[in-house]
Amino acid sequence: RSRITMNSEGASKMRTDCQELAKNSYKCLEQNQGDPSQCAKHFEVYKECRKAEHTRIIEERRKKGATLS
């Protein structure tokens, strides 16, 4: 589930269900001296998670919009 929080500068920052996958991607990069070719699977899993999350958010907004009419 997405959550919006405020950082110390007052800007909003979206927290998502995919954060752990993003952390895993960064960890893979660190473990492989920044070589992205070694982490392609991690990147793909994160990308698919974000796509699914985006689709879910759009659908939720559509449903809310339909009920406001």
Side-chain angles (χ1 to χ4, degrees):
R1 180 155 289 216
S2 297
R3 295 177 281 306
I4 297 178
T5 59
M6 301 299 276
N7 66 19
S8 61
E9 290 83 36
S12 65
K13 182 176 181 180
M14 190 168 226
R15 305 259 180 200
T16 72
D17 290 334
C18 304
Q19 276 187 296
E20 195 63 35
L21 297 173
K23 287 179 187 178
N24 290 341
S25 295
Y26 285 118
K27 187 176 180 180
C28 178
L29 283 172
E30 289 173 4
Q31 291 173 342
N32 290 287
Q33 293 74 40
D35 182 2
S37 67
Q38 299 295 315
C39 305
K41 184 175 181 178
H42 292 279
F43 298 149
E44 191 60 35
V45 170
Y46 173 71
K47 190 166 119 177
E48 290 302 317
C49 180
R50 290 294 293 162
K51 281 183 188 178
E53 187 171 60
H54 182 258
T55 300
R56 180 185 52 79
I57 290 168
I58 296 298
E59 288 300 316
E60 287 175 2
R61 288 179 182 165
R62 283 188 185 142
K63 287 178 184 176
K64 285 181 183 178
T67 59
L68 295 177
S69 301

